[in-house]
Amino acid sequence: RKNKFIATALSFVFCGLGNIYNGLYYRGIVEFGIEITLAFIFSDILKTLPYGLFIMFLIGFVWWAYVLYDTMSCTDAINENRNIPLFLNKIKIK
């Protein structure tokens, strides 16, 4: 069994680390990679726009919230011996 609190806390601190704790290494690395990609892309593009920093923060917050939700869903699936949910409800990543 995986501890849902530990998995969620790890993803809270470091995006994707909770799923790495769950044994879903590739999924955790993909989540972290998307976080880094968003940070690099949006830091250059959005900082020049009005409200760009707010938009960048909002997009980052939404992604971070999704990763927390995904970590909790995957932890529940592992503990209940169910199939791991699809990544972004479309992609099969373990």
Side-chain angles (χ1 to χ4, degrees), residues 33-85:
I34 290 172
E35 178 74 21
I36 294 299
T37 302
L38 288 173
F40 280 117
I41 290 173
F42 291 132
S43 66
D44 284 339
I45 295 172
L46 293 178
K47 69 182 176 186
T48 60
L49 299 174
Y51 305 109
L53 289 177
F54 173 74
I55 294 168
M56 185 171 63
F57 173 77
L58 184 62
I59 291 169
F61 179 78
V62 168
W63 177 250
W64 174 74
Y66 170 77
V67 170
L68 289 176
Y69 168 76
D70 184 59
T71 300
M72 289 187 287
S73 298
C74 289
T75 305
D76 286 341
I78 290 168
N79 288 338
E80 296 168 7
N81 203 23
R82 292 184 284 120
N83 290 332
I84 303 297

